[in-house]
Amino acid sequence: MFVLVNLKTYPCDPVAVAEAVRDVDESTDARLAVAPQATHLERVADTGAETWAQHVDPIDHGSNTGQTLAESVADAGAVGTLLNHSERRLKLADIDGAVRAAEHAGLETVVCANNPAQIGAAAALGPDAVAVEPPELIGTGTPVSQADPDIVEDAVDAAQHVDRDVSVLCGAGISTGDDVVAAGDLGSEGVLLASGVAKADDPTAALEDLVEPL
């Protein structure tokens, strides 16, 4: 299972969370990674934790003020990037361009989507993985695997129908090890989560709880 912790812009210590991710990753068969803000990428990567960006833009070097270049993200130490998170939506053509930009920079890609129909469309763009995240459940503590397990199963079916090489993750409301197990039982190969770790008083304990049942 792949556990990707999105720090969003939460007021946490990104280095401390990254160190927790690194340490717990070394003690489990699960794969753990962390996605800090762009300005924190290099410091987080320096901890040795697997580091992902939260976003890259569909651009090349040039006149792109205020945008995030995939090559710069890779140079900072990131190995992958999220795309089209519900808090950073993109048009389909821009998702396609961002996937291509990330691939050119050697970054893995996870494209987020709201529902199985969007998952199928995202999978057709050829990312490494897609992630189904109903936005109404994000940050609620109620996992999608519990609120509507059919969404996860249908998302897996939609992606596999388009491209069997595209992995499916699920997110929204993931906070416990039981949530991670339930996601796997529904066909997901990993989970996205944020507040369950980023807002935890003890990120290491929160991560250990997530992977303990695996």
Side-chain angles (χ1 to χ4, degrees):
M1 288 291 281
F2 182 33
V3 177
L4 178 53
V5 181
N6 179 10
L7 300 186
K8 303 189 176 183
T9 59
Y10 287 130
C12 59
D13 181 344
V15 171
V17 176
E19 290 172 340
V21 166
R22 176 200 63 202
D23 293 345
V24 175
D25 179 71
E26 292 174 352
S27 68
T28 178
D29 290 334
R31 174 189 176 192
L32 274 65
V34 59
Q37 296 179 57
T39 53
H40 299 154
L41 281 169
E42 190 165 359
R43 286 198 294 143
V44 165
D46 284 346
T47 68
E50 182 175 326
T51 303
W52 282 56
Q54 297 179 10
H55 169 80
V56 299
D57 288 294
I59 58 170
D60 294 318
H61 291 278
S63 303
N64 304 294
T65 301
Q67 299 193 59
T68 302
L69 183 69
E71 282 84 354
S72 297
V73 164
D75 288 345
V79 300
T81 185
L82 292 171
L83 293 170
N84 198 49
H85 190 275
S86 64
E87 296 156 1
R88 188 66 170 86
R89 283 285 177 230
L90 299 171
K91 295 178 181 178
L92 189 63
D94 289 336
I95 299 172
D96 189 19
V99 169
R100 303 285 85 76
E103 288 177 343
H104 185 263
L107 298 171
E108 291 185 53
T109 49
V110 172
V111 176
C112 302
N114 290 354
N115 56 52
Q118 291 182 14
I119 285 291
L125 302 177
D128 294 290
V130 290
V132 59
E133 284 197 306
E136 65 273 14
L137 296 177
I138 293 175
T140 65
T142 301
V144 61
S145 56
Q146 180 185 105
D148 194 346
D150 288 346
I151 287 181
V152 181
E153 292 183 320
D154 291 348
V156 171
D157 288 344
Q160 294 300 295
H161 181 73
V162 173
D163 187 341
R164 301 188 69 85
D165 291 331
V166 176
S167 301
V168 179
L169 316 181
C170 78
I174 304 293
S175 61
T176 71
D178 289 343
D179 297 340
V180 179
V181 170
D185 289 343
L186 293 169
S188 173
E189 296 181 43
V191 296
L192 303 183
L193 71 156
S195 58
V197 173
K199 289 185 172 182
D201 292 332
D202 186 341
T204 299
L207 288 163
E208 288 174 340
D209 176 69
L210 283 166
V211 303
E212 189 275 331
L214 300 179

